[in-house]
Amino acid sequence: MYQALLEPEVGDRNKTTRGGVWGFSETVVKATVPALVLHSQISSIEKQATTATGCPLLIRCKNFQIIQLVIPQERDCHDVYISLIRLARPVKYEELYCFSFNPKLDKEEREQGWKLVNLHEEYNRMGIPNNYWQISDVNRDYGVCDSYPTEVYVPKSATAHIIVGSSKFRSRRRFPALSYYCKDNNLFGANKFNDDVTPYSASYRMCVNMASICRSSQPLSGFSARCLEDEQMLQAIRKANPGSDFIYVVDTRPKLNAMANRAAGKGYENEDNYSNIKFQFIGIENIHVMRNSLQKMLEVCELKSPSMSDFLWGLENSGWLKHIKAIMDAGIFIAKVLIEKDWVSFGHKFNHRYGNLDGDPKEISPVIDQFIECVWQLMEQFPCAFEFNERFLIHIQHHIYSCQFGNFLCNSQKERRELKFWSGMYNRFEKGLHPRQSVTDYLMAVKEETQQLEEELEVLGEKLANLQKSQLTDNKVKSKQQDGSKRLGLSTSNNNLANTPQEYSNDLKSFPSRSPSQGDEEDSALILTQDNLKSSDPDLSANSDQESGVEDLSCRSPSGGGCLPSEDSGKDSDEAVFLAV
Amino acid sequence: MEFSELIKTATVESVLLSCVGLPAVKGTLCITSHHLLLSSCPGGDAQPGTVELWLLIRNVDAVEKRVQNLGWYQPPWTNGSPQDTRLAGSSGTITLRCKDLKVLQLEIPGMEECLNIASSIEALSSVDSVMMMYPFFYRPQSLKLEEGWHLFPLEQYFQQIASQTNQWRLTDVNKDFTTCPTYPPAVIVPAAVDDDALRKAARFRQGGRFPVLSYYHPKNGTAMLRSSQPLTGPNRKRCREDEKLLGTVLDEGERGFIIDTRSAQAAKQARMTGGGTEPKSSYPQWRRLHRPLERGRPLQESFIKLVEACNDTSINMDRWLSRLESCRWLSHVKAALSTACLAAQCMDREEASVLVHGTEGTDTTLLVTALAQVILDPSCRTLVGFQGLLEREWIEAGHPFHLRCARSAYSHARLKQEAPLFLLFLDCVWQLSRQFPFSLEFSERLLLTLFDNAYASAYGTFLCNNEKERCLCKVKEKTHSLWAWLNQPGEKKKYLNPLYSHNALVIWPSVEPQSIQLWQGLFFRWIRSSQYLDEAWAEIQRLVEGNDAPVKESAGNRLSRSLSDPAAQTEDKR
C-alpha cells in the first residue's frame, strides 16, 4: 500500500470534464508517482476519519491493489468520493473503457484480434463436426437460449424438437451442448453441463462419458417433474459416444444445495428417469460462499505485520485454498478446456460476476480469479507444461476488471499440501513480499541471447567457410571476441538483483521495552522505532524499479564505488533511527 | 564390543522391500556392521545381484515390527506356489523410519528372522560411541584421509580481516582447550585485550564462551561477536575484563547491540541459576534487544509434529493449514530469519556492532550469526564460502552435533538433547534461495545433502560436539572430510545453481508470512514425486548452460538415488 498526497492536483482538476475528478474520465489518479487506476478496477471506496493532513480515501481495487488518497479539504474529498462511486459502476456498457480505449490499431488489426479464437476452428481442431456431432442452428437469433452462442454443437440424433423441449426443462434454457470433444478415445474425457451461467451458482453440471464434455444448466425437475425430450437429449449424447454404456452427470454443487433447489422447482436428474446415467456431486460451493471466502482471504493479506499463525489461521478460515482444491478436483474430470470457449462464448455472466456495471452485489463472484489461480497452481507443479508464465495470468486477471479490452488444460493428481498461497497475485502490489529476482526474466534473456549467438555463429560459420578458402589465420581472433561478448551479455541481463530491507524490527513493538512490570529498567531502550522504520518503504514500493535498492546500498559504501548516487540516499537515515534515551 | 555380537541374523532370503512411490523389490537382505543391504534375486533380473538398497544403519531413526503368526491358517493363494509355504507359516513386517525422513518397509518371511533383524538394526543404530561409527571405517579410494580437513583455517579468515583493520588479533589462548572446552584452539578477539583478560572473561561466561569475533563487516568496519550468557547470577556479579572486552569493540560515543535470543523474562529468570544478561549500568554503550527463539525440546517437538503432519495422508485441505500452523515450524523459520535480519540491519544500516548470545551460545546464537552472514556477505553464498561458514560458525564454533542430531523426527526414544537447529538454519537458507534464486551459488541439493550428513554420514565432518572431542577421537586423522568428497569436480557439479551470478549486495529477505514457504523438497522428499520440478530444473540448466548434455535422470537412477545413501553410491562405483 502506498500513499499518494495530491495537494496540488485536486483543486484544478476537480472542475474538468464529465463527472471528472482529475480530468480523465477513465483514469482516476495521476499523481507524481506513476499510479493509474481505471475506474472499472475499483472495487470499493471508503472514506476514513479526517486527520490533520486531510481526509483519507481508501480505494480497494479488483486487482487487489489498495490505494490511500489523502485529500486536504473535506469537501473535495466528498466530491471525489461521490464521483468515484458513480464512475466505478457505469450503468451502460458504452461507458466502459474498452469503448473509448484506442491503442492505435487499425480496423483490420482490431478485427484480427477478435478472430484469434474462432469457435469453428476450435471445434474443427477437436474433429467436429463428425459422424456423431453437428452444428445446430436452433439457437439462431438466440431464440432458444439467450446466453448460448448462435451456433451450438449437439448430437446428430438430437432433433430441433428434442433440443427445444430439453431447453424448456433447463434453468435459463441452457440445454446440454458440446463443450469439448476428445479425438483420442483412449483419453479420459468428460461431459459437462453448465447451468445458470456460472459454474458454482446454483447448478453447474457436466456429463462425462468416454469422449466428450457437454454442459447444461440444472433441470427444472423439482420433486418429480420429468421431461421426455430432455431424457432423449441425454440418450442422444450417450449414443454420440459409441462404446460407452453410460454417461456421468457431474453436478458441481454440494448435494445439499442441489436438494434445496428442488424446492424451487429446480434440482437434479433423477437416475431412474434417465437410462444409463451415473450421477455425481462435486461439492463446489456457490458464488456467495466464494465471494465471502475471497473477501476473508484479502482481509488476511491486508493485516499489518501478521504473525505466522495469524496468517495460516486466517488463510485456513477463509477456506480459499479449500475451494481451489475442490475446483481442481473437479478439473481432474475435465481436461484441456480453453478459457475463451468456456468462459465467454457460452455466456459466463461476466458482467454480474465481476461487477463492471452497477447491479446486485450478490451476483459478484470471484470465479475467474479462481480459475486463474487453479492454472497457477498447476504451473507450480508442472513448470514445463505451460507456454505462458505467471505474468500472463496476472495480466489476464487485470484486464478482466479493467475492461480495457473487449474479452478472455490439465490433468493432475492434486494433493492438498501442494496448494500454496499465491502472494504474486493477492499481494501483487506489495513489492517487498516478492522474490527479488525473476527466474523467468533471466531465462528468457538467456534464451534470446543464445538464439542471437546461434544466429551469429551461423553467420560466422559461413564467413569462416569463405575465409578458409583464402586465409586461415584471421578467424581465430574473431571467435575469441565472440566468447567475450557472451560473458558480458549474461552479466548485464542479470543486474537488477538488489532490494532494501523491510521492517525486521516490527516485532519490537511486542518487546515490552518500557513496561514497568519488567522491572529491569536498564532494558528500557526502545531503539528502532516503529514509525521511522515504516517510512522507509512507501516511496520505494511506488518506485516501480527495484534497482533503487542497488543505488541505495551503494551510496553508503565508499568501497562499492562507481554507482550512481540515488534519490534514496536521503532516506537511508530514517530507516531505523535511534531514539535518544 | 564386536559388531558381530549385535547381529543375530546376518542374511535373509526373499525379503520384500517397499517404499512410497517406488515398485516393491524382492531380494536377499544382508546386515553388516554399518549397512543394511538388499540385493534383488538373481533370475528375475538380467543382472543378478543388483543392489537395491544400501542403507547406513546409523540413518535408521526408528524400527517398528509387526509379526503375524499364521501357522494354523493357509491362505488360499499360497497353495499354488511351494516357495511361499514358509510365508504361510509366519512372517513379519519391519518399518524402518530413517533420519533423512524416508520410510522403508521390509516384509520378512519367518517370524524369528524378522525379530532378529529388527533387534539387530535397533542395536546397531543405537551404538553411541563415536569411534565405532562408520566414518572411522569408511575408506573410499578416490579420497585421501587428510584431504578437506584444513580447507578453511581461521588464520586465513583472520588475514582477510587483518588486511583491513588492526583492531583484532588471533589468539591461541585456548590451544589446549582449557579456557573454553567448546571453542576451537584459535579464536579472534579485540587486539586490545590480552590473554589473561580473556581467561578471566571466560570465567564470567557460561561454559567459558567469552565474546569472540564472528564476522567483520568490511563495508563499515562493524563487527558481530558471539558468546554465551554472562554469569551475573542473583547477586548481579560483574567482571571488569568482560566489560572491557566488549567496551574496546566500540569507540567512544558508539553504540552496540546485544541481541539476546531469549525473552526478557527468560533472561531475567536465568539469574536464579547463575546466568543472566549484561546490565546496562555495567555495559553503558550496549543496548539489549530480546528476540526469543525456540530451542531444545520445543523445537524438536515442532519438527516431529511437522513430519507427522506431512506424512498424514488423511487430512484434507480444510484441516491442513491449521495443522501446519499448530506445528509452529514456519513460525520458527520466520523468527530465525527476522532475528538474523535484525542483526544484519544493525550492522549494515545502523553501522553498529552486534553481540549475539542466548544461554549456552552454541545453538540459537550460531543460527543467528551464521544466517546474518549469508545475508550480509556475498562470499558466504558461494559453494566453498558456505562450507567455510559452516566449518567456522557451526562445527568449530562448537554446535553439539552429536547431541542435537542423535535422533531425528521419528524416534520413539526418550528425547535427550536433540534439537534440529541445524535443520532450521538450512531451512532459512532455503527460504533465502527461494527469494534470491540467483544469489546463492549452491542448490537445494546441497542443503539436503548437508541435512542427511548431519544426521548420519560416512564422513567425519559432523561427528562429535566440539573441536576438543574431535581431537580426542582423532576425527581429522581417522575419517574423511565431507568437504573433500563434495569438492571433487564430478560431485561438485551436482550442487551448483546454474542461475548463480555474483551479487555483491546484501540480500534482504521478506519475512512476511506470505513469503515463508514450507520446504517441500525436504519434507515431501520421499512422499511425492518431484519429477516435474526436476524436469523444469533440468530445462533451466539446459537453457543456461547451452545445449550440452541435458541433465536427465533415467528411472533407474531415480530408484537408486532414492534408496541408497550418497556415500554408498560412491562406494558402489569403485
Side-chain angles (χ1 to χ4, degrees):
Chain A
M1 176 167 91
Y2 66 91
Q3 291 192 350
L5 280 158
L6 290 165
E7 293 130 87
E9 276 94 344
V10 173
D12 45 313
R13 289 192 178 184
N14 214 0
K15 296 176 186 113
T16 42
T17 57
R18 166 167 75 121
V21 187
W22 289 288
F24 299 87
S25 54
E26 270 76 35
T27 10
V28 171
V29 184
K30 192 162 190 299
T32 38
V33 286
L36 214 80
V37 178
L38 285 166
H39 288 155
S40 53
Q41 282 281 4
I42 295 175
S43 161
S44 74
I45 308 149
E46 193 183 314
K47 259 197 331 190
Q48 293 177 315
T50 315
T51 64
T53 45
C55 202
L57 208 56
L58 195 70
I59 302 174
R60 286 193 174 83
C61 301
K62 292 171 192 165
N63 62 0
F64 314 123
Q65 188 173 23
I66 298 172
I67 293 174
Q68 192 183 20
L69 299 173
V70 180
I71 298 168
Q73 296 295 320
E74 229 263 79
R75 199 171 45 89
D76 287 342
C77 178
H78 186 72
D79 286 350
V80 170
Y81 175 70
I82 296 295
S83 308
L84 284 181
I85 284 185
R86 167 70 182 82
L87 286 168
R89 291 278 180 80
V91 185
K92 287 181 294 189
Y93 279 105
E94 289 73 24
E95 289 178 34
L96 290 174
Y97 186 35
C98 56
F99 286 95
S100 51
F101 175 63
N102 190 349
K104 289 178 190 154
L105 289 177
D106 57 32
K107 188 165 179 266
E108 205 171 295
E109 282 175 294
R110 205 172 65 208
E111 281 171 0
Q112 203 180 359
W114 280 105
K115 287 176 189 155
L116 219 59
V117 178
N118 178 312
L119 269 187
H120 274 291
E121 272 174 31
E122 270 305 301
Y123 280 101
N124 278 340
R125 191 176 61 85
M126 302 174 200
I128 301 277
N130 63 11
N131 289 341
Y132 303 103
W133 297 90
Q134 65 178 13
I135 303 179
S136 163
D137 61 352
V138 68
N139 197 35
R140 63 179 175 275
D141 309 324
Y142 305 99
V144 178
C145 171
D146 58 5
S147 57
Y148 268 179
T150 48
E151 285 172 349
V152 286
Y153 291 77
V154 292
K156 264 195 176 158
S157 57
T159 61
H161 172 74
I162 292 179
I163 296 173
V164 173
S166 164
S167 78
K168 287 178 183 156
F169 189 62
R170 294 274 166 184
S171 180
R172 294 187 59 98
R173 301 191 144 219
R174 295 174 66 86
F175 56 87
L178 184 72
S179 159
Y180 178 75
Y181 182 82
C182 186
K183 258 194 281 189
D184 183 356
N185 270 359
N186 295 325
L187 281 180
F188 181 72
N191 229 348
K192 188 178 63 170
F193 287 58
N194 185 0
D195 152 331
D196 141 53
V197 234
T198 129
Y200 322 125
S201 67
S203 38
Y204 180 47
R205 62 226 301 98
M206 31 194 207
C207 280
V208 184
N209 61 14
M210 294 321 282
S212 63
I213 304 174
C214 295
R215 81 196 109 179
S216 75
S217 60
Q218 61 184 337
L220 304 172
S221 52
F223 288 101
S224 59
R226 50 189 294 189
C227 166
L228 187 65
E229 288 89 351
D230 195 60
E231 286 159 27
Q232 286 170 338
M233 186 73 192
L234 288 203
Q235 185 65 10
I237 290 171
R238 191 194 63 72
K239 281 185 185 150
N241 293 282
S244 52
D245 299 334
F246 61 88
I247 55 176
Y248 275 112
V249 174
V250 181
D251 192 316
T252 57
R253 294 168 293 184
K255 189 168 185 183
L256 210 64
N257 299 15
M259 286 166 69
N261 264 310
R262 286 165 65 174
K266 299 169 185 174
Y268 53 93
E269 291 83 355
N270 184 343
E271 273 179 282
D272 299 336
N273 297 342
Y274 294 83
S275 50
N276 307 321
I277 65 166
K278 289 194 177 180
F279 210 84
Q280 193 172 340
F281 289 102
I282 285 190
I284 297 174
E285 294 289 351
N286 66 28
I287 56 167
H288 313 296
V289 175
M290 294 301 186
R291 194 177 54 243
N292 288 338
S293 172
L294 177 67
Q295 188 54 41
K296 277 189 192 164
M297 184 193 61
L298 291 177
E299 276 161 23
V300 173
C301 295
E302 278 180 42
L303 288 177
K304 293 217 172 87
S305 56
S307 72
M308 203 73 221
S309 306
D310 294 342
F311 177 70
L312 289 176
W313 270 112
L315 194 58
E316 171 152 307
N317 288 338
S318 78
W320 182 255
L321 287 180
K322 185 179 79 183
H323 299 315
I324 293 292
K325 161 99 164 72
I327 297 165
M328 297 203 67
D329 283 341
I332 293 167
F333 267 88
I334 331 160
K336 290 168 188 163
V337 183
L338 276 170
I339 314 175
E340 180 83 15
K341 199 154 51 59
D342 246 34
W343 299 104
V344 182
S345 299
F346 276 82
H348 179 62
K349 256 189 197 170
F350 266 89
N351 248 319
H352 283 154
R353 298 303 178 238
Y354 311 119
N356 288 331
L357 292 178
D358 202 18
D360 183 0
K362 289 202 195 76
E363 286 282 285
I364 299 172
S365 145
V367 179
I368 198 79
D369 293 343
Q370 291 179 320
F371 173 75
I372 289 176
E373 167 151 355
C374 289
V375 176
W376 179 81
Q377 297 280 4
L378 283 167
M379 270 168 69
E380 282 287 292
Q381 290 182 50
F382 302 92
C384 292
F386 292 84
E387 193 188 12
F388 48 85
N389 62 25
E390 180 177 358
R391 199 169 297 153
F392 176 75
L393 293 178
I394 292 179
H395 211 68
I396 287 188
Q397 196 269 353
H398 175 83
H399 286 304
I400 289 173
Y401 293 115
S402 76
C403 306
Q404 188 170 355
F405 298 96
N407 39 347
F408 263 45
L409 343 252
C410 332
N411 186 7
S412 105
Q413 188 67 36
K414 186 114 313 284
E415 278 194 23
R416 72 208 140 77
R417 295 164 298 207
E418 294 179 33
L419 295 184
K420 298 173 186 163
F421 173 73
W422 189 6
S423 66
M425 175 71 113
Y426 305 109
N427 286 110
R428 167 148 47 123
F429 292 93
E430 307 210 12
K431 291 228 161 60
L433 293 184
H434 305 318
R436 309 309 212 276
Q437 303 169 327
S438 159
V439 175
T440 317
D441 287 351
Y442 178 71
L443 289 177
M444 289 202 314
V446 167
K447 213 171 165 178
E448 202 170 299
E449 203 177 72
T450 313
Q451 203 175 342
Q452 278 174 5
L453 283 169
E454 270 167 12
E455 281 165 18
E456 229 168 309
L457 194 74
E458 210 170 299
V459 174
L460 284 169
E462 280 169 25
K463 275 190 188 169
L464 197 71
N466 290 338
L467 277 170
Q468 267 173 342
K469 289 174 190 163
S470 51
Q471 278 188 327
L472 282 163
T473 45
D474 257 0
N475 49 36
K476 275 183 188 166
V477 189
K478 273 189 185 161
S479 62
K480 259 184 196 164
Q481 282 170 345
Q482 215 40 54
D483 251 355
S485 76
K486 178 173 179 178
R487 285 290 110 210
L488 207 77
L490 272 183
S491 61
T492 48
S493 69
N494 193 14
N495 240 348
N496 44 351
L497 304 177
N499 68 114
T500 44
Q502 51 158 144
E503 303 142 20
Y504 300 119
S505 354
N506 234 356
D507 303 358
L508 275 180
K509 66 181 174 206
S510 64
F511 161 51
S513 50
R514 286 186 191 278
S515 139
S517 64
Q518 204 180 321
D520 206 0
E521 44 115 22
E522 65 244 16
D523 288 334
S524 56
L526 179 68
I527 288 146
L528 305 167
T529 64
Q530 181 73 4
D531 285 350
N532 286 327
L533 280 163
K534 279 251 159 182
S535 68
S536 67
D537 240 51
D539 274 355
L540 277 178
S541 56
N543 265 351
S544 59
D545 196 346
Q546 297 183 355
E547 274 179 3
S548 56
V550 182
E551 293 154 4
D552 190 14
L553 284 163
S554 56
C555 66
R556 266 289 179 104
S557 118
S559 59
C563 288
L564 294 165
S566 89
E567 50 180 329
D568 294 323
S569 52
K571 272 199 329 277
D572 229 349
S573 52
D574 26 343
E575 289 195 10
V577 168
F578 291 96
L579 263 192
V581 180
Chain B
M1 182 195 74
E2 286 294 322
F3 288 115
S4 54
E5 293 167 16
L6 302 177
I7 304 172
K8 292 179 183 158
T9 298
T11 55
V12 189
E13 304 281 335
S14 306
V15 173
L16 192 70
L17 165 73
S18 51
C19 175
V20 178
L22 292 166
V25 194
K26 197 172 244 190
T28 306
L29 185 76
C30 176
I31 296 185
T32 71
S33 38
H34 291 105
H35 285 101
L36 190 73
L37 294 115
L38 186 119
S39 50
S40 60
C41 295
D45 212 336
Q47 300 160 297
T50 315
V51 177
E52 306 283 357
L53 172 73
W54 195 313
L55 180 79
L56 195 59
I57 291 180
R58 178 80 188 156
N59 191 359
V60 175
D61 203 30
V63 184
E64 287 155 23
K65 47 188 186 283
R66 208 177 62 240
V67 290
Q68 300 113 311
N69 194 340
L70 303 166
W72 55 274
Y73 174 64
Q74 287 276 320
W77 60 84
T78 57
N79 289 343
S81 50
Q83 84 233 34
D84 281 347
T85 45
R86 197 166 52 131
L87 251 176
S90 62
S91 74
T93 307
I94 297 179
T95 306
L96 297 177
R97 298 185 189 275
C98 300
K99 289 175 182 164
D100 63 10
L101 307 183
K102 81 172 151 245
V103 179
L104 300 171
Q105 235 173 35
L106 299 169
E107 269 176 52
I108 296 170
M111 189 168 69
E112 203 189 330
E113 281 89 344
C114 177
L115 293 174
N116 283 347
I117 294 281
S119 72
S120 308
I121 296 173
E122 255 164 15
L124 287 169
S125 65
S126 48
V127 168
D128 203 44
S129 155
V130 174
M131 308 283 278
M132 300 300 283
M133 284 180 189
Y134 185 54
F136 287 90
F137 301 86
Y138 177 52
R139 293 290 174 266
Q141 282 176 346
S142 60
L143 298 174
K144 293 196 193 78
L145 267 180
E146 65 273 20
E147 228 177 311
W149 284 115
H150 305 285
L151 282 177
F152 318 101
L154 195 68
E155 289 76 13
Q156 195 184 317
Y157 186 71
F158 174 70
Q159 286 312 321
Q160 288 171 17
I161 297 166
S163 68
Q164 296 172 66
T165 172
N166 54 11
Q167 292 198 325
W168 301 92
R169 72 183 180 94
L170 193 68
T171 174
D172 61 354
V173 65
N174 198 38
K175 63 176 179 291
D176 42 15
F177 305 107
T178 47
T179 312
C180 171
T182 58
Y183 271 169
V187 286
I188 303 170
V189 292
V193 181
D194 61 33
D195 285 355
D196 260 349
L198 291 177
R199 284 187 201 100
K200 284 180 185 147
R203 266 176 251 143
F204 184 63
R205 294 276 172 178
Q206 178 162 356
R209 294 176 71 91
F210 55 90
V212 296
L213 182 78
S214 161
Y215 170 65
Y216 177 80
H217 197 39
K219 178 175 147 188
N220 53 23
T222 55
M224 182 157 60
L225 295 97
R226 54 177 159 77
S227 70
S228 59
Q229 64 175 347
L231 301 174
T232 48
N235 302 324
R236 306 203 177 204
K237 268 193 299 188
R238 295 176 57 170
C239 171
R240 208 160 297 283
E241 287 76 13
D242 190 75
E243 287 164 23
K244 188 181 171 238
L245 198 166
L246 289 181
T248 58
V249 174
L250 304 176
D251 287 338
E252 203 150 318
E254 261 187 346
R255 281 172 202 258
F257 292 100
I258 295 173
I259 296 178
D260 194 321
T261 61
R262 303 163 293 180
S263 69
Q265 188 162 16
K268 204 175 139 196
Q269 273 173 355
R271 285 214 298 260
M272 305 313 293
T273 50
T277 51
E278 294 82 357
K280 194 184 167 193
S281 53
S282 326
Y283 301 84
Q285 284 174 281
W286 293 88
R287 290 282 177 276
R288 248 176 32 225
L289 296 174
H290 291 275
R291 304 304 296 267
L293 296 181
E294 205 52 90
R295 66 200 78 211
R297 178 171 292 212
L299 191 64
Q300 179 73 10
E301 278 164 3
S302 167
F303 175 40
I304 291 170
K305 272 192 205 162
L306 177 62
V307 171
E308 226 170 68
C310 291
N311 283 320
D312 185 348
T313 47
S314 69
I315 36 174
N316 48 25
M317 195 68 223
D318 50 340
R319 301 291 308 139
W320 166 244
L321 288 171
S322 53
R323 183 84 180 264
L324 185 63
E325 192 278 326
S326 70
C327 300
R328 311 280 308 147
W329 182 261
L330 293 182
S331 302
H332 302 323
V333 171
K334 179 175 169 359
L337 264 180
S338 312
T339 308
C341 287
L342 178 67
Q345 195 181 22
C346 288
M347 294 178 75
D348 192 72
R349 295 300 166 116
E350 296 311 304
E351 309 203 313
S353 290
V354 174
L355 167 69
V356 183
H357 73 70
T359 306
E360 294 170 315
T362 55
D363 296 296
T364 50
T365 305
L366 304 180
L367 176 66
V368 172
T369 59
L371 210 46
Q373 291 178 58
V374 178
I375 292 164
L376 287 170
D377 184 3
S379 65
C380 290
R381 296 178 220 138
T382 64
L383 182 61
V384 171
F386 190 65
Q387 292 171 15
L389 177 76
L390 294 182
E391 192 69 39
R392 191 161 44 80
E393 288 296 289
W394 284 95
I395 299 167
E396 288 184 7
H399 176 66
F401 279 99
H402 184 77
L403 292 172
R404 300 288 182 260
C405 303
R407 296 279 167 191
S408 178
Y410 291 127
S411 174
H412 304 303
R414 203 168 53 83
L415 289 180
K416 283 181 236 159
Q417 295 202 46
E418 293 82 0
L421 280 140
F422 187 61
L423 171 62
L424 187 57
F425 168 72
L426 295 175
D427 198 333
C428 291
V429 174
W430 180 83
Q431 304 285 344
L432 289 172
S433 79
R434 288 290 106 170
Q435 293 190 32
F436 299 91
F438 307 152
S439 295
L440 304 183
E441 196 194 16
F442 46 87
S443 64
E444 178 182 29
R445 189 154 175 201
L446 178 79
L447 301 175
L448 293 173
T449 303
L450 289 170
F451 167 70
D452 295 347
N453 279 275
Y455 280 86
S457 179
Y459 303 92
T461 299
F462 293 110
L463 287 182
C464 302
N465 294 309
N466 49 56
E467 288 296 283
K468 186 182 179 184
E469 287 183 19
R470 279 177 206 112
C471 258
L472 288 171
C473 296
K474 295 193 166 52
V475 167
K476 292 180 188 184
E477 290 85 43
K478 292 183 170 173
T479 73
H480 286 278
S481 161
L482 177 66
W483 311 134
W485 173 63
L486 280 182
N487 290 329
Q488 296 173 108
E491 202 59 35
K492 190 173 167 179
K493 229 184 127 195
K494 299 179 194 164
Y495 303 100
L496 291 175
N497 170 13
L499 296 169
Y500 175 70
S501 110
H502 177 76
N503 176 3
L505 301 164
V506 178
I507 51 172
W508 299 110
S510 159
V511 294
E512 297 301 319
Q514 289 97 319
S515 309
I516 307 290
Q517 296 180 21
L518 178 65
W519 185 6
Q520 300 199 356
L522 179 90
F523 293 105
F524 294 141
R525 178 160 47 149
W526 313 105
I527 298 168
R528 63 109 214 255
S529 158
S530 60
Q531 186 195 344
Y532 299 104
L533 300 177
D534 291 347
E535 277 171 11
W537 191 244
E539 180 66 14
I540 288 174
Q541 217 150 7
R542 193 187 63 76
L543 279 174
V544 174
E545 289 167 5
N547 290 325
D548 43 61
V551 186
K552 281 182 185 158
E553 283 179 281
S554 67
N557 272 347
R558 288 181 55 79
L559 182 91
S560 65
R561 187 186 55 153
S562 42
L563 284 180
S564 56
D565 61 321
Q569 277 188 347
T570 47
E571 224 173 28
D572 212 17
K573 278 176 202 147
R574 276 189 288 154

